[in-house]
PDB file of all heavy atoms in Angstrom:
ATOM      1  N   VAL O1191     -18.989  53.908  21.215  1.00 75.00           N
ATOM      2  CA  VAL O1191     -19.459  55.085  20.377  1.00 75.00           C
ATOM      3  C   VAL O1191     -19.675  54.627  18.916  1.00 75.00           C
ATOM      4  O   VAL O1191     -20.665  54.996  18.340  1.00 75.00           O
ATOM      5  CB  VAL O1191     -18.332  56.226  20.433  1.00 75.00           C
ATOM      6  CG1 VAL O1191     -18.717  57.285  19.338  1.00 75.00           C
ATOM      7  CG2 VAL O1191     -18.315  56.849  21.835  1.00 75.00           C
ATOM      8  N   LYS O1192     -18.681  53.904  18.409  1.00 77.00           N
ATOM      9  CA  LYS O1192     -18.779  53.473  16.926  1.00 77.00           C
ATOM     10  C   LYS O1192     -19.921  52.484  16.721  1.00 77.00           C
ATOM     11  O   LYS O1192     -20.613  52.708  15.678  1.00 77.00           O
ATOM     12  CB  LYS O1192     -17.466  52.891  16.529  1.00 77.00           C
ATOM     13  CG  LYS O1192     -17.393  52.383  15.098  1.00 77.00           C
ATOM     14  CD  LYS O1192     -16.043  51.836  14.747  1.00 77.00           C
ATOM     15  CE  LYS O1192     -15.971  51.508  13.319  1.00 77.00           C
ATOM     16  NZ  LYS O1192     -14.663  50.873  12.839  1.00 77.00           N
ATOM     17  N   TYR O1193     -20.144  51.479  17.521  1.00 75.00           N
ATOM     18  CA  TYR O1193     -21.095  50.472  17.212  1.00 75.00           C
ATOM     19  C   TYR O1193     -22.472  50.652  17.902  1.00 75.00           C
ATOM     20  O   TYR O1193     -23.463  49.974  17.535  1.00 75.00           O
ATOM     21  CB  TYR O1193     -20.514  49.097  17.582  1.00 75.00           C
ATOM     22  CG  TYR O1193     -19.287  48.757  16.813  1.00 75.00           C
ATOM     23  CD1 TYR O1193     -18.012  48.708  17.390  1.00 75.00           C
ATOM     24  CD2 TYR O1193     -19.362  48.492  15.462  1.00 75.00           C
ATOM     25  CE1 TYR O1193     -16.890  48.383  16.764  1.00 75.00           C
ATOM     26  CE2 TYR O1193     -18.217  48.177  14.783  1.00 75.00           C
ATOM     27  CZ  TYR O1193     -16.939  48.122  15.343  1.00 75.00           C
ATOM     28  OH  TYR O1193     -15.848  47.887  14.641  1.00 75.00           O
ATOM     29  N   ILE O1194     -22.585  51.551  18.835  1.00 79.00           N
ATOM     30  CA  ILE O1194     -23.862  51.680  19.549  1.00 79.00           C
ATOM     31  C   ILE O1194     -24.461  53.069  19.379  1.00 79.00           C
ATOM     32  O   ILE O1194     -25.571  53.268  18.901  1.00 79.00           O
ATOM     33  CB  ILE O1194     -23.767  51.363  21.054  1.00 79.00           C
ATOM     34  CG1 ILE O1194     -23.329  49.842  21.273  1.00 79.00           C
ATOM     35  CG2 ILE O1194     -25.107  51.615  21.796  1.00 79.00           C
ATOM     36  CD1 ILE O1194     -23.099  49.455  22.710  1.00 79.00           C
ATOM     37  N   TYR O1195     -23.590  54.072  19.799  1.00 77.00           N
ATOM     38  CA  TYR O1195     -24.132  55.456  19.742  1.00 77.00           C
ATOM     39  C   TYR O1195     -24.231  55.981  18.296  1.00 77.00           C
ATOM     40  O   TYR O1195     -25.334  56.666  17.986  1.00 77.00           O
ATOM     41  CB  TYR O1195     -23.220  56.341  20.619  1.00 77.00           C
ATOM     42  CG  TYR O1195     -23.434  56.196  22.052  1.00 77.00           C
ATOM     43  CD1 TYR O1195     -22.427  55.672  22.909  1.00 77.00           C
ATOM     44  CD2 TYR O1195     -24.646  56.639  22.673  1.00 77.00           C
ATOM     45  CE1 TYR O1195     -22.610  55.572  24.231  1.00 77.00           C
ATOM     46  CE2 TYR O1195     -24.786  56.468  24.047  1.00 77.00           C
ATOM     47  CZ  TYR O1195     -23.831  55.889  24.803  1.00 77.00           C
ATOM     48  OH  TYR O1195     -24.025  55.760  26.165  1.00 77.00           O
ATOM     49  N   MET O1196     -23.236  55.780  17.449  1.00 81.00           N
ATOM     50  CA  MET O1196     -23.316  56.387  16.123  1.00 81.00           C
ATOM     51  C   MET O1196     -24.412  55.829  15.314  1.00 81.00           C
ATOM     52  O   MET O1196     -25.154  56.687  14.638  1.00 81.00           O
ATOM     53  CB  MET O1196     -21.967  56.063  15.432  1.00 81.00           C
ATOM     54  CG  MET O1196     -20.789  56.856  15.953  1.00 81.00           C
ATOM     55  SD  MET O1196     -20.930  58.621  15.747  1.00 81.00           S
ATOM     56  CE  MET O1196     -20.817  58.769  13.978  1.00 81.00           C
ATOM     57  N   PRO O1197     -24.793  54.521  15.338  1.00 81.00           N
ATOM     58  CA  PRO O1197     -25.931  54.043  14.553  1.00 81.00           C
ATOM     59  C   PRO O1197     -27.223  54.670  15.083  1.00 81.00           C
ATOM     60  O   PRO O1197     -28.178  55.005  14.382  1.00 81.00           O
ATOM     61  CB  PRO O1197     -25.902  52.571  14.601  1.00 81.00           C
ATOM     62  CG  PRO O1197     -24.456  52.239  14.898  1.00 81.00           C
ATOM     63  CD  PRO O1197     -23.944  53.436  15.790  1.00 81.00           C
ATOM     64  N   ALA O1198     -27.288  54.803  16.391  1.00 79.00           N
ATOM     65  CA  ALA O1198     -28.571  55.325  17.067  1.00 79.00           C
ATOM     66  C   ALA O1198     -28.675  56.794  16.759  1.00 79.00           C
ATOM     67  O   ALA O1198     -29.848  57.255  16.709  1.00 79.00           O
ATOM     68  CB  ALA O1198     -28.419  55.096  18.575  1.00 79.00           C
ATOM     69  N   LEU O1199     -27.663  57.520  16.584  1.00 82.00           N
ATOM     70  CA  LEU O1199     -27.720  58.964  16.414  1.00 82.00           C
ATOM     71  C   LEU O1199     -27.883  59.329  14.878  1.00 82.00           C
ATOM     72  O   LEU O1199     -28.114  60.470  14.523  1.00 82.00           O
ATOM     73  CB  LEU O1199     -26.462  59.627  16.907  1.00 82.00           C
ATOM     74  CG  LEU O1199     -26.298  59.728  18.404  1.00 82.00           C
ATOM     75  CD1 LEU O1199     -24.915  60.298  18.707  1.00 82.00           C
ATOM     76  CD2 LEU O1199     -27.391  60.508  18.989  1.00 82.00           C
ATOM     77  N   ARG O1200     -27.810  58.365  14.030  1.00 85.00           N
ATOM     78  CA  ARG O1200     -27.799  58.645  12.574  1.00 85.00           C
ATOM     79  C   ARG O1200     -29.067  59.417  12.115  1.00 85.00           C
ATOM     80  O   ARG O1200     -29.034  60.382  11.434  1.00 85.00           O
ATOM     81  CB  ARG O1200     -27.645  57.284  11.757  1.00 85.00           C
ATOM     82  CG  ARG O1200     -27.662  57.663  10.200  1.00 85.00           C
ATOM     83  CD  ARG O1200     -27.328  56.387   9.491  1.00 85.00           C
ATOM     84  NE  ARG O1200     -27.177  56.716   8.032  1.00 85.00           N
ATOM     85  CZ  ARG O1200     -26.429  56.051   7.231  1.00 85.00           C
ATOM     86  NH1 ARG O1200     -25.659  54.980   7.640  1.00 85.00           N
ATOM     87  NH2 ARG O1200     -26.354  56.357   5.970  1.00 85.00           N
ATOM     88  N   PRO O1201     -30.247  58.909  12.457  1.00 84.00           N
ATOM     89  CA  PRO O1201     -31.486  59.710  12.066  1.00 84.00           C
ATOM     90  C   PRO O1201     -31.484  61.125  12.615  1.00 84.00           C
ATOM     91  O   PRO O1201     -31.909  62.006  11.917  1.00 84.00           O
ATOM     92  CB  PRO O1201     -32.642  58.829  12.615  1.00 84.00           C
ATOM     93  CG  PRO O1201     -32.017  57.444  12.808  1.00 84.00           C
ATOM     94  CD  PRO O1201     -30.645  57.713  13.207  1.00 84.00           C
ATOM     95  N   ALA O1202     -31.092  61.291  13.893  1.00 85.00           N
ATOM     96  CA  ALA O1202     -31.038  62.608  14.513  1.00 85.00           C
ATOM     97  C   ALA O1202     -30.081  63.474  13.834  1.00 85.00           C
ATOM     98  O   ALA O1202     -30.370  64.701  13.564  1.00 85.00           O
ATOM     99  CB  ALA O1202     -30.680  62.449  15.972  1.00 85.00           C
ATOM    100  N   ILE O1203     -28.856  63.028  13.434  1.00 86.00           N
ATOM    101  CA  ILE O1203     -27.894  63.801  12.735  1.00 86.00           C
ATOM    102  C   ILE O1203     -28.438  64.273  11.370  1.00 86.00           C
ATOM    103  O   ILE O1203     -28.328  65.452  11.008  1.00 86.00           O
ATOM    104  CB  ILE O1203     -26.602  63.081  12.635  1.00 86.00           C
ATOM    105  CG1 ILE O1203     -25.861  62.921  14.004  1.00 86.00           C
ATOM    106  CG2 ILE O1203     -25.606  63.777  11.724  1.00 86.00           C
ATOM    107  CD1 ILE O1203     -24.765  62.018  13.986  1.00 86.00           C
ATOM    108  N   MET O1204     -28.996  63.332  10.668  1.00 85.00           N
ATOM    109  CA  MET O1204     -29.475  63.617   9.283  1.00 85.00           C
ATOM    110  C   MET O1204     -30.589  64.641   9.249  1.00 85.00           C
ATOM    111  O   MET O1204     -30.683  65.608   8.472  1.00 85.00           O
ATOM    112  CB  MET O1204     -29.855  62.366   8.601  1.00 85.00           C
ATOM    113  CG  MET O1204     -28.764  61.415   8.372  1.00 85.00           C
ATOM    114  SD  MET O1204     -27.233  62.032   7.528  1.00 85.00           S
ATOM    115  CE  MET O1204     -27.882  62.114   5.879  1.00 85.00           C
ATOM    116  N   SER O1205     -31.585  64.491  10.208  1.00 85.00           N
ATOM    117  CA  SER O1205     -32.629  65.400  10.306  1.00 85.00           C
ATOM    118  C   SER O1205     -32.191  66.781  10.797  1.00 85.00           C
ATOM    119  O   SER O1205     -32.710  67.857  10.285  1.00 85.00           O
ATOM    120  CB  SER O1205     -33.794  64.876  11.167  1.00 85.00           C
ATOM    121  OG  SER O1205     -33.301  64.661  12.497  1.00 85.00           O
ATOM    122  N   ALA O1206     -31.304  66.796  11.751  1.00 88.00           N
ATOM    123  CA  ALA O1206     -30.804  68.032  12.275  1.00 88.00           C
ATOM    124  C   ALA O1206     -29.990  68.843  11.140  1.00 88.00           C
ATOM    125  O   ALA O1206     -30.133  70.101  11.054  1.00 88.00           O
ATOM    126  CB  ALA O1206     -29.823  67.790  13.433  1.00 88.00           C
ATOM    127  N   VAL O1207     -29.260  68.154  10.323  1.00 88.00           N
ATOM    128  CA  VAL O1207     -28.596  68.821   9.212  1.00 88.00           C
ATOM    129  C   VAL O1207     -29.528  69.483   8.273  1.00 88.00           C
ATOM    130  O   VAL O1207     -29.355  70.586   7.877  1.00 88.00           O
ATOM    131  CB  VAL O1207     -27.629  67.778   8.429  1.00 88.00           C
ATOM    132  CG1 VAL O1207     -27.292  68.309   7.069  1.00 88.00           C
ATOM    133  CG2 VAL O1207     -26.454  67.445   9.258  1.00 88.00           C
ATOM    134  N   GLN O1208     -30.572  68.773   7.924  1.00 85.00           N
ATOM    135  CA  GLN O1208     -31.550  69.263   6.983  1.00 85.00           C
ATOM    136  C   GLN O1208     -32.255  70.518   7.540  1.00 85.00           C
ATOM    137  O   GLN O1208     -32.483  71.462   6.807  1.00 85.00           O
ATOM    138  CB  GLN O1208     -32.621  68.190   6.687  1.00 85.00           C
ATOM    139  CG  GLN O1208     -33.637  68.606   5.599  1.00 85.00           C
ATOM    140  CD  GLN O1208     -34.686  67.602   5.287  1.00 85.00           C
ATOM    141  OE1 GLN O1208     -35.074  66.826   6.168  1.00 85.00           O
ATOM    142  NE2 GLN O1208     -35.172  67.558   4.081  1.00 85.00           N
ATOM    143  N   LEU O1209     -32.631  70.502   8.775  1.00 89.00           N
ATOM    144  CA  LEU O1209     -33.381  71.630   9.397  1.00 89.00           C
ATOM    145  C   LEU O1209     -32.401  72.756   9.664  1.00 89.00           C
ATOM    146  O   LEU O1209     -32.730  73.863   9.360  1.00 89.00           O
ATOM    147  CB  LEU O1209     -34.071  71.182  10.653  1.00 89.00           C
ATOM    148  CG  LEU O1209     -34.754  72.207  11.480  1.00 89.00           C
ATOM    149  CD1 LEU O1209     -35.971  72.862  10.648  1.00 89.00           C
ATOM    150  CD2 LEU O1209     -35.337  71.631  12.766  1.00 89.00           C
ATOM    151  N   ALA O1210     -31.251  72.448  10.211  1.00 90.00           N
ATOM    152  CA  ALA O1210     -30.332  73.499  10.659  1.00 90.00           C
ATOM    153  C   ALA O1210     -29.773  74.322   9.518  1.00 90.00           C
ATOM    154  O   ALA O1210     -29.603  75.591   9.607  1.00 90.00           O
ATOM    155  CB  ALA O1210     -29.215  72.908  11.507  1.00 90.00           C
ATOM    156  N   VAL O1211     -29.414  73.651   8.376  1.00 90.00           N
ATOM    157  CA  VAL O1211     -28.847  74.374   7.214  1.00 90.00           C
ATOM    158  C   VAL O1211     -29.801  75.366   6.725  1.00 90.00           C
ATOM    159  O   VAL O1211     -29.500  76.608   6.453  1.00 90.00           O
ATOM    160  CB  VAL O1211     -28.355  73.443   6.189  1.00 90.00           C
ATOM    161  CG1 VAL O1211     -27.984  74.156   4.971  1.00 90.00           C
ATOM    162  CG2 VAL O1211     -27.199  72.481   6.709  1.00 90.00           C
ATOM    163  N   GLY O1212     -31.049  75.043   6.528  1.00 89.00           N
ATOM    164  CA  GLY O1212     -32.048  75.934   6.060  1.00 89.00           C
ATOM    165  C   GLY O1212     -32.299  77.063   6.959  1.00 89.00           C
ATOM    166  O   GLY O1212     -32.364  78.294   6.605  1.00 89.00           O
ATOM    167  N   MET O1213     -32.393  76.797   8.279  1.00 91.00           N
ATOM    168  CA  MET O1213     -32.648  77.845   9.286  1.00 91.00           C
ATOM    169  C   MET O1213     -31.407  78.744   9.403  1.00 91.00           C
ATOM    170  O   MET O1213     -31.448  79.971   9.579  1.00 91.00           O
ATOM    171  CB  MET O1213     -32.865  77.203  10.692  1.00 91.00           C
ATOM    172  CG  MET O1213     -34.276  76.433  10.788  1.00 91.00           C
ATOM    173  SD  MET O1213     -35.588  77.606  10.699  1.00 91.00           S
ATOM    174  CE  MET O1213     -35.302  78.566  12.198  1.00 91.00           C
ATOM    175  N   GLY O1214     -30.209  78.200   9.313  1.00 92.00           N
ATOM    176  CA  GLY O1214     -28.966  78.960   9.345  1.00 92.00           C
ATOM    177  C   GLY O1214     -28.874  79.917   8.211  1.00 92.00           C
ATOM    178  O   GLY O1214     -28.495  81.089   8.482  1.00 92.00           O
TER     179      GLY O1214
END
């Protein structure tokens, strides 16, 4: 999770935060 999944998910998490907070 730490060395494979987390780095792979970083762009998805950052873009989701930006979109979701505004929509929320």
Side-chain angles (χ1 to χ4, degrees):
V1191 170
K1192 183 177 180 180
Y1193 296 111
I1194 298 177
Y1195 285 111
M1196 289 297 289
L1199 290 174
R1200 182 170 186 153
I1203 290 173
M1204 299 304 289
S1205 61
V1207 165
Q1208 184 181 32
L1209 179 60
V1211 173
M1213 290 294 294

